[in-house]
Amino acid sequence: MPYLLSPRRVLAAFLACVLALPPAAFASGIVHCESRHHMYQRCDVDTGGRVSIERQTSYTACRQGENWGYDHRSIWVDRGCGADFRVGGGSDRNKAVAIGAAVAGLAVLAALASRSDNHTADTASWAVGNFRGYDEQERTSVELNILPGGSVTGQAGQHSFTGHLSGNDLQAGRTRFRIEPSGNGFIATDTGNPGHRVVFVRAGSGY
């Protein structure tokens, strides 16, 4: 059988990968670019896809798209525009996106780990098997079959239902019970109505 990582191990591995990520390769900085004698000038720089004017140094007003602009590899100026341009800063946005994705991933993995803790925990041996009882409040016979993994199937009168047992918490259809061992079975107490109790007696192994 192949070895499968538990959600907790996956969560730990994910955290390790996030913490091991290198800092963003591109940081913001200031680059001066000037149109001398009103001539077109291109200044080579890795802009990171983001450029803004930090300080205009020319008498001519610099208007993006008219006498200055940029692409990913350079800034261009024309018709007398000159300025100190702030390039980059996209690394901060990328970092925010990465952090957001990491948080979302951690939330999903934490939920999986919690679900695994609740649903794969060993079920107590006294709660595993086939049990029968009588629900006096509903005036009907009830049969439960509880498997080692906590899976529950049952029959209440003519109605069948499913559920799950986690620790001492039994979800039977729409009703949640707290169960405690008693003799050759257990007593189930409705968590929403403590006066509603059903005594179950073992009828078989159930599997």
Side-chain angles (χ1 to χ4, degrees), residues 124-144:
S125 59
W126 57 264
V128 174
N130 183 262
F131 301 87
R132 291 183 184 142
Y134 184 78
D135 189 334
E136 294 185 359
Q137 179 171 298
E138 300 296 331
R139 296 183 180 181
T140 186
S141 296
V142 182
E143 183 172 337
L144 287 177

Side-chain angles (χ1 to χ4, degrees), residues 51-193:
V51 177
S52 61
I53 293 179
E54 181 75 9
R55 183 175 68 91
Q56 182 175 304
T57 58
S58 62
Y59 289 108
T60 301
C62 294
R63 296 185 176 88
Q64 185 175 356
E66 294 184 11
N67 57 0
W68 80 273
Y70 67 94
D71 55 29
H72 282 279
R73 296 186 298 272
S74 65
I75 299 171
W76 63 265
V77 290
D78 197 7
R79 290 176 288 175
C81 171
D84 292 330
F85 295 91
R86 179 173 293 279
V87 299
S91 59
D92 294 336
R93 181 176 181 276
N94 293 338
K95 182 184 293 184
V97 171
I99 291 174
V103 169
L106 288 174
V108 171
L109 289 173
L112 288 174
S114 176
R115 183 176 181 180
S116 174
D117 288 342
N118 291 334
H119 286 189
T120 61
D122 291 336
T123 303
S125 59
W126 57 264
V128 174
N130 183 262
F131 301 87
R132 291 183 184 142
Y134 184 78
D135 189 334
E136 294 185 359
Q137 179 171 298
E138 300 296 331
R139 296 183 180 181
T140 186
S141 296
V142 182
E143 183 172 337
L144 287 177
N145 191 47
I146 304 175
L147 298 181
S151 179
V152 174
T153 56
Q155 188 83 19
Q158 301 300 315
H159 303 285
S160 59
F161 59 86
T162 60
H164 195 90
L165 177 63
S166 178
N168 286 53
D169 293 322
L170 170 65
Q171 183 71 44
R174 297 181 179 179
T175 307
R176 184 178 296 275
F177 293 90
R178 180 74 177 175
I179 67 173
E180 298 294 340
S182 175
N184 192 31
F186 57 84
I187 298 174
T189 303
D190 188 337
T191 58
N193 178 13

